[in-house]
Amino acid sequence: MFIIKLLIRNAFRHKLRTGLTIVGVAIAIVAFGLLRTLVDLWYAGVEASSASRLITRNSISLVFPLPISYKDRIRQVPGVRDVSWGNWFGGIYKEEKNFFPSFAVEPRSFLAMYPEYRVDPVELKSFLLDRKGAMVGAKTAERFGWKVGDQVMLRGTIFPGQWEFVIRGIYHGAAKSTDETQFFFHWDYLNEVMRRTVPRRADQAGYYIIELKKPDQAAEVSLAVDATFRNSLAETLTETERAFQMSFVSMTEAIVIAIQIVSYVVIVIIMVVAANTMAMTARERIPEYATLKTLGFGGLHIAGVIFGESLVIAMAGGVTGVILTFPAARWIETELSQFFPVFTVAPSTICMDLAAAFIVGAVAGIFPTWRGVTIRIAEGLRRVG
Amino acid sequence: MGIPYSYSLRNLWTRRLTTVLTASGMALVVFVFAATLMLSEGLRKTLVDTGSWDNVVVIRKSAQTEVQSGVDRSQAAIVETQPEVAMAEGQRLVAKELVVLISLPKRGTGKPSNVVIRGIGAPSLLLRPQVKLREGRMPRPGSAEIIAGASIAKRFQGGGIGETLRFGMRDWTVVGIFDAGNTGFSSEIWGDVDQLMQAFRRPVYSSVIFKLRDAAEFGRVKARLEADPRLTVEAKREIRFYADQSEAMATFLNILGVTLTVIFSLGAVIGAMITMYAAVANRITEIGTLRALGFQRRSILGAFILESLFLGLLGGVVGVFFASFMQLVTISTMNWQTFSELAFSFTLTPRIIGASLVFSLVMGFVGGLLPAFRAARMNIVDALRAN
């Protein structure tokens, strides 16, 4: 008990310096926590993907469509429970900066496959019945103040023209990590307009989603689907939803790696600052340590005092940082919602935060501890601060 | 009378460990600061060099990228016959091009990434003087031959000279490598536009690019093209076009860079403050003596601020020194707007060096200001009596 009291008293003897160090550590921990969360977000799409769904796309690349006739042939492949299809629409609402992902989907099969999008049954029914109906995530609806029944106009970037929709449903995510910013509408609507305006682009799907009977058949079914269309005009590439999402992430990997490196650099910087503080503290108190030694306290005791003080300061900063991380994340979630629809700090990030603070304290304490333990009594007493 | 500069300098030397720790903290911050600026500069330079001021890109209205765009043959022909188009060697400098994305596996990891394939016509090279054939030869029209950008040849499987790539149900032989310096074209594959349109079964061009005979005529030709009822296109200067393409990426890098720099500099300023407060605390008697010798409060203030500025500058120089090595690094990442690979490298300019050093001085100044005031405000008698 006494030793803890001594540690805390010691830590706050130099209030200004300790205070500054704690603030420094807290800032670093907030930055570290937010950067880790940012990296987690990068993989959020991968994490949210299901193992029992496959995505089939054109093997050349995503920008090439597949004939709609493929849906029946895919359905016949053994192991396939259901097939859905859609197109990336890439619509713009008024201005480019109002970005949200928009898709033309086959609504019945799509919603059956994605139980994570929860819609009120009444809204669901009216969405399914209205060909111009659209279903939008709660976050996007809130951002633009859309309500059920509102008319919305999107400008097509891939499919030219002005597209009119009526909001028929607002979906909520089943989990906190579910993306609530997407916009879905009837593929039939898209197709009808394309038939009329650009017939060569009609009857095409950007991708197929396959629901498997058993998740462990993913590899066989993928191979079987791709074999069906080998040497056809549009060869396919089928992969699990996870791998599909991962392919996007890996293309931007350079940035993720940079953020990860930076998050560790933050810790190193603050380690240097904290080490500086501890080195100064230890230097000032060397006569004290010599006195303690004279009184008969062992090296271990001295080590405990110096090392413990370093840990107390670092952990105080760490805990402050963790507490501050939550309002900071909340702020990002509300202010920067168009970039980061979800900004939730994971429990593992909190653990990493505290571990990082501990490491900062430990590393900063090593050198001063060694100095304090090895100093000889006579030498220490002779020193003038 | 002022205190000699050497006093401040020598103080840093006396407390070497503290100086090194504080300065290295600052050096790290300056390093990150400079690296972010270098990255933005690299991206900007890549895009500016990719476009030319007197080239015009015509794409379908409201398509943001060439990949999304479609300009059919009759529309392309109308664009081709505009009077503002420049002539050279007896031909009009107009290229009707096809741009598609394909995914290719990278060398080493085998991970697929999106690559731009550009179908080019004869004038395409004339329109882009920055593109030079480095090895091999140009593809023969009408054959399944392609040339690859230097960065593709290096990073993608099958991109090297003599190798083959398979797409569009055909094997394509790489017969040449072109060097487009630090531009977006280095991350592209070029082939004959008619062959590629056939292979991908695309009956329409993606874009029409032409050189203006007089750069000042852009406004007129843009207005005429966009008002023509037979066309549904928009025209942009090539430089503007490429800058728009990476706006999201540039904004992201800037926001990330500014946020990190602010957070980091807070840490470094705190580090400097701790150091300088300790420096003052350790030297109370000394300060008293200096004052007793007749040095003014102002001189004391100056000496401590100077010491802190030296500390900042030291960190700044070290930080910029290490950041300069980042020029060897090339980042390749997907551009969100075009969904294709874009390679760019960190670029150091004198302006960035200047900004980094000023930044380090500001950090030193802010960190040293309060401690210096404390030192200057000290009472002679109290200071001498301390210890």
Side-chain angles (χ1 to χ4, degrees):
Chain A
M1 223 31 244
F2 167 74
I3 185 91
I4 292 179
K5 201 169 169 186
L6 179 70
L7 287 181
I8 294 174
R9 281 274 170 85
N10 254 343
F12 288 95
R13 195 152 58 164
H14 210 304
K15 284 196 192 62
L16 181 71
R17 182 193 296 166
T18 308
L20 284 174
T21 315
I22 290 177
V23 171
V25 175
I27 290 173
I29 293 299
V30 171
F32 182 74
L34 295 181
L35 288 172
R36 300 256 357 139
T37 309
L38 187 59
V39 171
D40 286 350
L41 279 184
W42 224 278
Y43 294 98
V46 179
E47 291 299 320
S49 55
S50 156
S52 64
R53 292 192 292 250
L54 300 179
I55 307 277
T56 299
R57 60 172 174 93
N58 193 306
S59 69
I60 301 173
S61 82
L62 250 181
V63 293
F64 291 92
L66 295 167
I68 194 65
S69 59
Y70 280 19
K71 70 172 193 288
D72 301 316
R73 294 177 63 187
I74 293 175
R75 200 173 276 133
Q76 286 161 12
V77 173
V80 174
R81 172 175 293 159
D82 200 6
V83 181
S84 186
W85 61 93
N87 278 87
W88 168 255
F89 182 66
I92 288 174
Y93 179 62
K94 288 182 181 165
E95 276 179 76
E96 271 172 45
K97 66 174 174 53
N98 297 334
F99 175 83
F100 51 84
S102 49
F103 300 89
V105 297
E106 198 293 299
R108 266 168 233 279
S109 52
F110 174 76
L111 287 170
M113 275 183 208
Y114 285 81
E116 50 263 54
Y117 303 132
R118 290 198 178 147
V119 206
D120 177 89
V122 182
E123 290 180 6
L124 176 65
K125 203 169 165 206
S126 70
F127 168 58
L128 291 177
L129 289 176
D130 184 357
R131 283 175 108 63
K132 283 193 172 185
M135 197 179 83
V136 66
K139 286 246 167 71
T140 299
E142 192 186 337
R143 185 169 152 211
F144 301 114
W146 292 341
K147 291 179 299 296
V148 173
D150 282 3
Q151 289 243 356
V152 172
M153 183 90 93
L154 297 188
R155 180 159 56 85
T157 57
I158 301 170
F159 302 94
Q162 298 287 340
W163 298 75
E164 253 177 51
F165 303 100
V166 181
I167 305 285
R168 289 294 178 200
I170 291 174
Y171 76 82
H172 293 265
K176 204 168 183 301
S177 58
T178 309
D179 186 357
E180 290 185 349
T181 63
Q182 306 182 68
F183 183 98
F184 302 107
F185 64 94
H186 292 247
W187 182 85
D188 284 341
Y189 174 39
L190 176 79
N191 201 39
E192 276 163 22
V193 176
M194 289 329 278
R195 261 192 202 149
R196 218 168 45 233
T197 55
V198 198
R200 67 178 174 84
R201 295 183 67 187
D203 295 323
Q204 287 175 330
Y207 56 87
Y208 288 97
I209 311 165
I210 298 171
E211 190 176 28
L212 295 168
K213 284 185 181 141
K214 283 189 223 127
D216 50 1
Q217 285 180 326
E220 297 152 59
V221 174
S222 316
L223 288 176
V225 170
D226 290 346
T228 312
F229 304 108
R230 181 143 308 136
N231 286 324
S232 72
L233 286 182
E235 294 188 352
T236 60
L237 177 71
T238 305
E239 54 196 352
T240 59
E241 196 182 15
R242 194 182 188 84
F244 177 75
Q245 297 280 4
M246 198 63 207
S247 68
F248 283 97
V249 174
S250 64
M251 280 190 270
T252 47
E253 213 166 33
I255 294 180
V256 181
I257 292 171
I259 294 176
Q260 268 168 334
I261 292 173
V262 164
S263 68
Y264 291 109
V265 171
V266 182
I267 296 302
V268 174
I269 290 183
I270 208 61
M271 228 177 242
V272 170
V273 172
N276 196 5
T277 313
M278 285 315 293
M280 276 188 275
T281 305
R283 193 170 46 225
E284 283 169 14
R285 296 197 200 141
I286 279 190
E288 275 175 41
Y289 301 143
T291 315
L292 279 173
K293 276 191 178 172
T294 321
L295 292 175
F297 287 100
L300 210 61
H301 225 104
I302 308 276
V305 170
I306 308 176
F307 202 71
E309 185 180 338
S310 182
L311 283 184
V312 163
I313 294 176
M315 289 317 279
V319 171
T320 316
V322 166
I323 294 169
L324 290 177
T325 304
F326 290 98
R330 176 79 46 81
W331 181 83
I332 290 174
E333 210 171 42
T334 49
E335 294 298 312
L336 302 174
S337 61
Q338 68 267 45
F339 297 116
F340 309 111
V342 185
F343 207 90
T344 316
V345 183
S348 60
T349 303
I350 301 298
C351 297
M352 295 274 289
D353 276 351
L354 294 176
F358 184 85
I359 292 170
V360 166
V363 172
I366 289 174
F367 184 64
T369 307
W370 178 73
R371 282 280 301 274
V373 171
T374 50
I375 195 95
R376 268 180 292 156
I377 297 178
E379 202 183 313
L381 285 175
R382 206 185 297 138
R383 254 180 87 104
V384 181
Chain B
M1 197 185 87
I3 297 174
Y5 302 135
S6 56
Y7 171 78
S8 305
L9 263 180
R10 231 179 297 140
N11 267 320
L12 288 178
W13 182 247
T14 316
R15 297 170 303 124
R16 277 178 295 263
L17 179 67
T18 315
T19 304
V20 166
L21 284 175
T22 316
S24 50
M26 288 199 171
L28 271 169
V29 178
V30 172
F31 176 83
V32 174
F33 179 76
T36 334
L37 288 182
M38 285 164 71
L39 201 58
S40 303
E41 179 63 25
L43 181 63
R44 199 190 63 79
K45 201 167 171 310
T46 299
L47 294 162
V48 167
D49 289 354
T50 303
S52 308
W53 177 247
D54 55 355
N55 279 2
V56 178
V57 180
V58 178
I59 53 171
R60 197 198 68 226
K61 202 180 223 90
S62 87
Q64 293 146 312
T65 63
E66 287 174 287
V67 172
Q68 292 172 354
S69 161
V71 180
D72 66 39
R73 287 173 190 273
S74 62
Q75 294 191 341
I78 297 171
V79 175
E80 198 174 6
T81 52
Q82 297 298 314
E84 285 84 359
V85 173
M87 303 274 289
E89 298 168 20
Q91 57 175 333
R92 292 183 154 265
L93 288 181
V94 182
K96 294 173 282 187
E97 298 189 337
L98 172 76
V99 175
V100 292
L101 286 178
I102 64 165
S103 57
L104 290 179
K106 287 195 179 176
R107 287 191 202 276
T109 59
K111 277 187 190 163
S113 197
N114 287 341
V115 171
V116 168
I117 297 225
R118 186 181 291 273
I120 56 159
S124 291
L125 265 179
L126 294 174
L127 283 168
R128 302 184 179 94
Q130 67 274 48
V131 177
K132 303 220 164 43
L133 198 63
R134 199 177 67 189
E135 260 179 82
R137 56 179 175 82
M138 289 297 288
R140 273 189 298 260
S143 66
E145 292 176 341
I146 47 175
I147 51 174
S151 137
I152 295 286
K154 203 167 66 194
R155 291 184 298 117
F156 285 89
Q157 285 176 24
I161 198 157
E163 293 183 277
T164 56
L165 287 170
R166 188 176 172 77
F167 53 82
M169 291 175 74
R170 265 210 217 168
D171 287 316
W172 303 75
T173 314
V174 181
V175 295
I177 305 291
F178 63 91
D179 192 351
N182 237 339
T183 70
F185 296 125
S186 289
S187 312
E188 294 187 355
I189 293 173
W190 289 10
D192 179 43
V193 63
D194 295 317
Q195 291 299 310
L196 287 166
M197 278 167 88
Q198 220 175 64
F200 291 122
R201 282 162 208 91
R202 286 262 307 237
V204 296
Y205 297 110
S206 301
S207 56
V208 180
I209 292 137
F210 63 87
K211 191 177 274 308
L212 291 164
R213 66 179 175 202
D214 175 1
E217 287 180 327
F218 173 72
R220 200 184 326 150
V221 71
K222 177 184 168 73
R224 175 148 19 85
L225 286 174
E226 290 179 2
D228 193 323
R230 296 167 296 173
L231 302 175
T232 47
V233 297
E234 60 187 311
K236 283 184 183 179
R237 280 197 195 268
E238 206 180 19
I239 286 191
R240 183 77 242 144
F241 177 75
Y242 283 105
D244 287 350
Q245 298 267 291
S246 67
E247 213 188 332
M249 179 79 92
T251 316
F252 178 79
L253 287 181
N254 281 338
I255 292 181
L256 195 66
V258 168
T259 319
L260 289 178
T261 306
V262 167
I263 294 174
F264 281 15
S265 54
L266 281 175
V269 165
I270 287 173
M273 227 182 241
I274 293 173
T275 311
M276 291 311 294
Y277 267 122
V280 174
N282 285 338
R283 275 184 270 156
I284 292 180
T285 329
E286 203 175 306
I287 295 166
T289 316
L290 283 168
R291 294 272 284 119
L293 288 174
F295 285 106
Q296 299 289 312
R297 284 181 197 276
R298 220 180 316 127
S299 311
I300 306 273
L301 184 74
F304 277 93
I305 287 185
L306 197 65
E307 189 174 328
S308 183
L309 285 177
F310 277 136
L311 200 59
L313 192 62
L314 184 64
V317 170
V318 174
V320 170
F321 174 75
F322 283 107
S324 68
F325 289 100
M326 291 299 285
Q327 287 181 100
L328 304 173
V329 179
T330 300
I331 291 241
S332 82
T333 183
M334 185 179 72
N335 183 359
W336 295 298
Q337 259 143 326
T338 58
F339 274 103
S340 61
E341 276 266 316
L342 183 66
F344 51 99
S345 31
F346 291 84
T347 311
L348 191 64
T349 61
R351 204 182 55 83
I352 294 178
I353 297 179
S356 306
L357 292 182
V358 169
F359 177 65
S360 67
L361 285 174
V362 169
M363 280 199 300
F365 181 76
V366 173
L369 196 60
L370 290 178
F373 267 115
R374 168 184 276 193
R377 272 211 320 266
M378 236 168 251
N379 190 309
I380 301 183
V381 184
D382 291 345
L384 284 175
R385 201 185 288 140
N387 274 345

